[in-house]
Amino acid sequence: MQVKILGSAAGGAFPQWNCGCPNCRGVRAGKFPGKARTQTQVAFSADSRTWFLLGASPDLRAQIEATPDLHPKEGLRQSPIAGAVLLNADVDHVLGLLLMRELQPLRVYATDSIRNIVTQDNSMFAMLQRIPEQASWTSFAPGSTFGLSDPSGRDSGIRCRAISLGHHFPAYVSRERRSSLAGGDASLGLIVESPAGKRLAYMPAVPEINDELLKEFELADVLMFDGTFWSDDELIRIQGSGQSARQMGHVPLSGGDGSLARLARLKRPRKIYIHINNTNPVLNEAGPEHRELLEQGWELAEDGWQFDL
Ligand SMILES: [Zn+2]
């Protein structure tokens, strides 16, 4: 299975359009010892011809153009992108679906709650349902294993299993809708198993690390983990107000119960931080936080990375 990291930043990307934090200013000025990044997007394929997306980022159009394997291969209208697995209903994670509205057949995998939010409450997404063969939705439940097929129904050989991580739905979801949703459907991590039995654990939004998750991570070959914030009060310190990292559903990297400390004993998987917020000091490759991350055996995802699994 081939895996491609098309984007590695958190929502807003790096730099973020309205952000004047030291990182964003530095990268705009061309003086920053680190790289700009688009919003988090991962794609994977078992046969190098049929690709599946993890979510659909607002930067998807540019990410596809930057990735020749995702360009049309034959005929006037075609795409190697067969489908997407949705792990939450955040704008950063689903907006890209609207960028694939040109009547291209697509299979979309989601929990019932996320599907209902997207298709029933946001009428613009009807652009994906203009003809019967366009987006075909497949429901999955957290905990159960499901296979990925292309729009014609051909099995890719890839198996997935979602893990409930958070119970918070996006702020745009109405109170009435919330009352009809299953909390465990709100925010998920995904275990992707290749036809050869290799495992990718994709966990871009983890509010808390528990023993159950640690067991999952020990069975993974590659772990892509929540690299959103370095410290719990990172945004509050920069903005002067706001929510802590944990309140936003992201365990920070630093601190005694941060992810660097809690995952230090993980031996098996290759460990990659992804979904990095533009305020995170690890983006500065000359800084002590970046050095600490590398010393602890972690990598910091960059746009354009790819590997086989
Ligand atoms: Zn910034």
Side-chain angles (χ1 to χ4, degrees):
M1 187 168 73
Q2 276 187 286
V3 181
K4 291 179 187 289
I5 298 175
L6 310 184
S8 51
F14 177 49
Q16 177 177 311
W17 71 282
N18 67 339
C19 190
C21 79
N23 284 357
C24 287
R25 277 185 206 280
V27 81
R28 281 191 197 104
K31 292 175 185 161
F32 188 72
K35 297 169 187 76
R37 286 167 165 83
T38 62
Q39 292 167 95
T40 289
Q41 179 67 59
V42 169
F44 54 93
S45 172
D47 61 6
S48 305
R49 292 195 311 273
T50 305
W51 289 84
F52 295 91
L53 304 176
L54 283 175
S57 96
D59 293 322
L60 190 57
R61 197 206 71 87
Q63 290 166 337
I64 290 170
E65 287 307 316
T67 313
D69 283 344
L70 300 181
H71 295 172
K73 294 292 178 255
E74 71 243 2
L76 190 61
R77 288 281 190 274
Q78 192 268 345
S79 171
I81 297 173
V85 184
L86 305 184
L87 301 175
N88 60 63
D90 288 350
V91 172
D92 311 327
H93 194 73
V94 303
L95 197 65
L97 287 177
L98 290 175
L99 308 179
M100 298 189 288
R101 66 189 177 280
E102 284 86 6
L103 306 180
Q104 187 67 39
L106 199 66
R107 206 171 272 272
V108 185
Y109 296 85
T111 60
D112 286 336
S113 298
I114 292 170
R115 175 183 182 167
N116 289 343
I117 293 168
V118 172
T119 62
Q120 294 180 16
D121 298 350
N122 292 278
S123 58
M124 217 182 271
F125 283 85
M127 288 302 282
L128 296 171
Q129 310 292 160
R130 290 164 66 204
I131 56 171
E133 301 79 32
Q134 208 175 344
S136 48
W137 289 74
T138 304
S139 292
F140 66 80
S144 61
T145 299
F146 57 97
L148 301 182
S149 301
D150 71 9
S152 71
R154 198 178 54 88
D155 186 356
S156 67
I158 299 171
R159 297 287 173 268
C160 297
R161 179 168 45 86
I163 298 170
S164 288
L165 294 177
H167 287 246
H168 291 294
F169 288 100
Y172 71 79
V173 177
S174 70
R175 192 184 295 258
E176 299 75 55
R177 172 58 78 186
R178 264 167 224 262
S179 64
S180 73
L181 301 174
D185 281 4
S187 180
L188 309 158
L190 196 70
I191 306 293
V192 182
E193 192 171 322
S194 75
K198 299 282 187 185
R199 283 187 186 192
L200 164 69
Y202 180 69
M203 307 277 150
V206 181
E208 178 189 26
I209 299 165
N210 56 35
D211 291 345
E212 222 169 302
L213 276 184
L214 285 171
K215 275 184 216 148
E216 291 284 356
F217 298 167
E218 278 294 4
L219 297 172
D221 296 280
V222 175
L223 169 64
M224 287 192 204
F225 192 82
D226 187 338
T228 313
F229 297 113
W230 175 258
S231 51
D232 199 37
D233 64 349
E234 186 168 313
L235 279 190
I236 299 170
R237 274 189 292 115
I238 285 173
Q239 297 174 163
S241 63
Q243 288 185 307
S244 71
R246 284 194 171 80
Q247 284 169 335
M248 296 175 74
H250 298 288
V251 59
L253 275 71
S254 68
D257 53 358
S259 57
L260 280 173
R262 292 280 282 136
L263 301 178
R265 273 177 297 163
L266 269 188
K267 287 291 171 272
R268 182 184 156 113
R270 177 180 173 185
K271 299 189 287 187
I272 302 172
Y273 279 119
I274 195 166
H275 196 267
I276 306 137
N277 199 57
N278 58 78
T279 53
N280 194 326
V282 293
L283 288 165
N284 183 339
E285 293 168 17
E289 294 88 356
H290 190 87
R291 196 166 53 241
E292 184 178 343
L293 177 154
L294 298 181
E295 280 169 5
Q296 300 225 25
W298 284 84
E299 297 167 78
L300 195 64
E302 295 179 13
D303 297 13
W305 277 12
Q306 53 186 331
F307 53 88
D308 288 314
L309 198 56

